[in-house]
Amino acid sequence: MIPFAIAQQTVREALRRRVMWIFLVSGVFLIAMGPVFGFLSPKDSQTVLRSLGLAAILLAGLFITIVTCIYLLPVEIERRTIYTVLSKPVQRYQFILGKFMGGFAVVFINIVAMGIVFLAMLWLQEKRLPPEMFIGVVMTFFQMLLLAALTIFFSTFATPVVNFFLSFGIFLVGNMSSVTDSLTSNNNPLVSNAGKVIHYLLPNFGNFNIQNSIIHPTIEIKNPNVFLFQNMIYAIVYSLVLLTLAVLIFDRREV
Amino acid sequence: MAAAISIDGLTKKYIDVWQKMEVTAVNNLHLQVEEGEIFGFLGRNGAGKTTTIKMLLGLIFPTAGDATLLGKPMGDNNVKQDLAYLPEETYFYDSMTGWDLMDYYGRLFRIPEPERSRRVKICLEKVQLQPEAWKRNIRGYSKGMRQRIGIAQALINDPKLLFLDEPTSGLDPIAHSELRDIVASLKDEGKTVFLSSHQLADVELICSRVAIIHRGKLLTTGTIRDLISGERKEVTVTSQALQNGLYEKIHSIVPGAQRQGNELVRFLSDDDDTISAVIDIVRGAKGKVLSIVPQKRTLEDVFVETVRKEEGEL
Ligand SMILES: Nc1ncnc2c1ncn2[C@@H]1O[C@H](COP(=O)(O)OP(=O)(O)OP(=O)(O)O)[C@@H](O)[C@H]1O
Ligand SMILES: [Mg+2]
């Protein structure tokens, strides 16, 4: 109940941030532009809408997740509101959990909003709801779950600016899994070992992107259900590990 | 009565990595606060008051030492059920209304409805926040209203032990006396209050005991009555014989004696034997004692003396 109270308060506070609305409106705008761009190249109009829509949700989701989650802890510490919370019978893990749940609820609301617009556009253009697009949105959602956990983890010890570059950087590197994978088989043992650390330790954000299979239809997802399921489990387990680490660090942190 | 707070050698060192400096904010502090008293925790800016309170509440961790609150080790989550904390200069969640803020804090104590709404109302009424302001955003609150909501949130769980860090700073005289009386009334409800304050007149009025700390070290602790006792007397004597060596004699007994004109000597002393000795030699020189006026010391006098003395010795 305590984490829920904290989460609810966090959502209320986060929904007041103007910057979040700017990203949401931009995302929705981009998705809505999909059919317009489609007219410009009628031959690929389906691919245009699909990849533009998913990209817009990913990009807006990325910024919304980072700007929302980056400040959840620092604001409480800076405004000293955290004193009034932690001096009450609130355990620090409950605080982190509440903040995470709240931050992620905001991300969830945004992805759902953009997802609905996206699916509506698809319906208008294709007169059907392609299941792989639905899976694409759900994948973005789990990708953001992982990113939210990562950002909250960093916020237990890094300033918002440092956190921004860390989270963003890791998101980019984690999206280039084919590059980091190729590093692991490098001839130089130093490079290959570093590559292994990066490839296996950093969250593999690239796994979640089904855009690749849209843009390169030759890459085929063999079994969408397994793909979906594996990635969900991966995101959840990895997020739990990050949150556990966040709690361990935050437990020792002076506020 | 049992000790509400028992501090055993609490020490906090801050290490500044960049400047390779070490600040000892609290230095081997020992202190007992009894249940049901309002305890004044005094010290200059930077003396270590807030640091001590934050350690007791588990917000920061001591370098050494230990403490118990209500018989349980500090930082214990269960004991927080009975604690309250008003931090100095808190902003609260200012996009919330006063009522919603109180409701949120009530939920953190797991107070169920409708009990929670009842508690919120009682507390807001107790701190005399105008009901028109209850549903308004805290952003629009004045300093006095913020201070009131701050005390109200500290009361939401009907705590046994309250830590109030400067609850009456920056208020207009009427708000000031109202809030001071609210703090004083907590004692009648059997609560223990640990009050950090620079308003020594308030402290003298509502506290039973105080501690004075300086640079993290405890200088003195005791009841206010004991601290301001040892009442000094101002003695004024007159004699024609002052020029003939009498003043020098008096001066050798009371070095602080001051001569005023040719026939008057005035001095302060809290020692009756010294005063008698002076009176004896004045009478012996056919002089007269004009007046002996008791001088009441205030807590402020004691504070200034105690801290000055310590600073002089450093
Ligand atoms: N986070 C910190 N890092 C380094 N030094 C600190 C930190 N917090 C406090 N200090 C230092 O510890 C000392 C005690 O500070 P503290 O805030 O406890 O004083 P205080 O008695 O509450 O003062 P005031 O009456 O001004 O509120 C000060 O010298 C302060 O500079
Ligand atoms: Mg202070």
Side-chain angles (χ1 to χ4, degrees), chain A residues 160-227:
Chain A
V161 176
V162 173
N163 191 346
F164 180 82
F165 286 108
L166 278 175
S167 301
F168 205 72
I170 289 181
F171 183 80
L172 287 183
V173 176
N175 255 301
M176 302 186 290
S177 42
S178 54
V179 177
T180 51
D181 196 18
S182 68
L183 284 182
T184 57
S185 49
N186 193 288
N187 290 333
N188 185 337
L190 208 68
V191 176
S192 75
N193 283 328
K196 274 179 195 144
V197 171
I198 293 173
H199 186 68
Y200 294 110
L201 197 63
L202 292 191
N204 191 335
F205 285 107
N207 271 352
F208 296 90
N209 296 335
I210 70 158
Q211 280 94 322
N212 297 342
S213 61
I214 300 171
I215 301 162
H216 311 287
T218 46
I219 307 177
E220 205 185 324
I221 296 171
K222 285 173 198 83
N223 189 335
N225 288 333
V226 172
F227 167 78

Side-chain angles (χ1 to χ4, degrees), chain A residues 254, chain B residues 12 14-16 23-26 41-54 60 88-89 165-166 196 198 213 216:
Chain A
E254 307 208 312
Chain B
K12 180 69 190 178
Y14 285 111
I15 293 158
D16 191 326
V23 180
T24 307
V26 176
F41 195 46
L42 316 179
R44 297 190 60 178
N45 293 125
K49 303 181 294 295
T50 301
T51 305
T52 305
I53 295 175
K54 282 168 71 181
I60 59 176
E88 54 180 353
E89 294 170 39
D165 203 345
E166 300 185 27
S196 154
H198 295 298
I213 65 164

Side-chain angles (χ1 to χ4, degrees), chain A residues 1-2 4-10 12-13 16 76 78-92 94-95 99 250-255, chain B residues 12 14 54 57-62 77 80-81 83 85 87-96 100 104-105 107-111 116 137 139 153 156:
Chain A
M1 180 181 166
I2 287 178
F4 283 109
I6 294 172
Q8 197 185 335
Q9 196 278 331
T10 304
R12 280 163 61 150
E13 203 90 336
R16 310 187 78 94
E76 293 262 350
E78 200 176 299
R79 313 209 75 182
R80 306 189 217 191
T81 43
I82 195 169
Y83 295 169
T84 58
V85 175
L86 290 185
S87 57
K88 296 184 168 55
V90 175
Q91 308 258 26
R92 288 183 178 213
Q94 294 174 316
F95 187 72
K99 284 282 146 189
F250 190 61
D251 257 340
R252 284 157 186 76
R253 168 145 185 201
E254 307 208 312
V255 292
Chain B
K12 180 69 190 178
Y14 285 111
K54 282 168 71 181
L57 290 166
L59 297 170
I60 59 176
F61 310 114
N77 203 51
K80 289 182 183 166
Q81 199 69 41
L83 299 186
Y85 177 35
E88 54 180 353
E89 294 170 39
T90 305
Y91 300 93
F92 298 110
Y93 302 92
D94 60 8
S95 56
M96 288 174 108
D100 287 347
Y104 174 53
Y105 287 135
R107 290 178 70 187
L108 296 184
F109 278 104
R110 298 190 190 86
I111 305 172
R116 191 162 71 231
N137 271 358
R139 183 171 298 127
Q153 65 84 27
I156 186 79

Side-chain angles (χ1 to χ4, degrees), chain B residues 94-229:
Chain B
D94 60 8
S95 56
M96 288 174 108
T97 65
W99 181 280
D100 287 347
L101 181 83
M102 292 291 292
D103 184 70
Y104 174 53
Y105 287 135
R107 290 178 70 187
L108 296 184
F109 278 104
R110 298 190 190 86
I111 305 172
E113 287 287 22
E115 167 72 2
R116 191 162 71 231
S117 294
R118 206 179 61 85
R119 282 293 317 160
V120 169
K121 187 155 177 284
I122 290 175
C123 295
L124 290 175
E125 278 167 357
K126 174 147 178 104
V127 298
Q128 296 160 33
L129 186 73
Q130 317 95 285
E132 307 89 81
W134 292 6
K135 302 275 174 183
R136 256 178 34 215
N137 271 358
I138 295 178
R139 183 171 298 127
Y141 279 19
S142 71
K143 171 128 199 184
M145 291 158 81
R146 277 162 199 258
Q147 209 72 314
R148 283 175 206 269
I149 197 92
I151 295 180
Q153 65 84 27
L155 296 173
I156 186 79
N157 57 325
D158 194 15
K160 294 199 176 92
L161 171 59
L162 294 95
F163 293 89
L164 305 181
D165 203 345
E166 300 185 27
T168 54
S169 63
L171 298 175
D172 75 61
I174 291 169
H176 183 131
S177 75
E178 280 176 3
L179 288 191
R180 184 195 59 211
D181 293 345
I182 290 167
V183 174
S185 75
L186 298 174
K187 185 186 160 82
D188 306 328
E189 298 171 17
K191 303 185 190 309
T192 311
V193 181
F194 193 74
L195 174 72
S196 154
S197 179
H198 295 298
Q199 318 282 334
L200 295 181
D202 287 357
V203 171
E204 192 168 343
L205 207 60
I206 66 177
C207 292
S208 41
R209 291 197 308 137
V210 298
I212 300 176
I213 65 164
H214 187 62
R215 300 193 185 175
K217 269 172 43 190
L218 180 68
L219 295 187
T220 183
T221 177
T223 63
I224 291 188
R225 197 182 316 146
D226 285 348
L227 287 176
I228 65 177
S229 75

Side-chain angles (χ1 to χ4, degrees), chain A residues 92-212:
Chain A
R92 288 183 178 213
Y93 80 84
Q94 294 174 316
F95 187 72
I96 294 278
L97 191 62
K99 284 282 146 189
F100 171 75
M101 288 182 349
F104 189 63
V106 171
V107 174
F108 176 76
I109 294 166
N110 279 283
I111 302 241
V112 167
M114 291 188 288
I116 288 174
V117 174
F118 179 48
L119 295 179
M121 289 295 148
L122 284 169
W123 178 260
L124 284 178
Q125 185 168 311
E126 302 182 20
K127 299 287 176 272
R128 65 184 199 107
L129 291 179
E132 62 280 20
M133 289 301 100
F134 185 74
I135 291 177
V137 175
V138 173
M139 282 297 101
T140 309
F141 169 79
F142 278 99
Q143 198 172 4
M144 293 306 128
L145 172 81
L146 185 48
L147 182 65
L150 185 74
T151 309
I152 295 220
F153 164 69
F154 283 133
S155 76
T156 57
F157 58 88
T159 63
V161 176
V162 173
N163 191 346
F164 180 82
F165 286 108
L166 278 175
S167 301
F168 205 72
I170 289 181
F171 183 80
L172 287 183
V173 176
N175 255 301
M176 302 186 290
S177 42
S178 54
V179 177
T180 51
D181 196 18
S182 68
L183 284 182
T184 57
S185 49
N186 193 288
N187 290 333
N188 185 337
L190 208 68
V191 176
S192 75
N193 283 328
K196 274 179 195 144
V197 171
I198 293 173
H199 186 68
Y200 294 110
L201 197 63
L202 292 191
N204 191 335
F205 285 107
N207 271 352
F208 296 90
N209 296 335
I210 70 158
Q211 280 94 322
N212 297 342

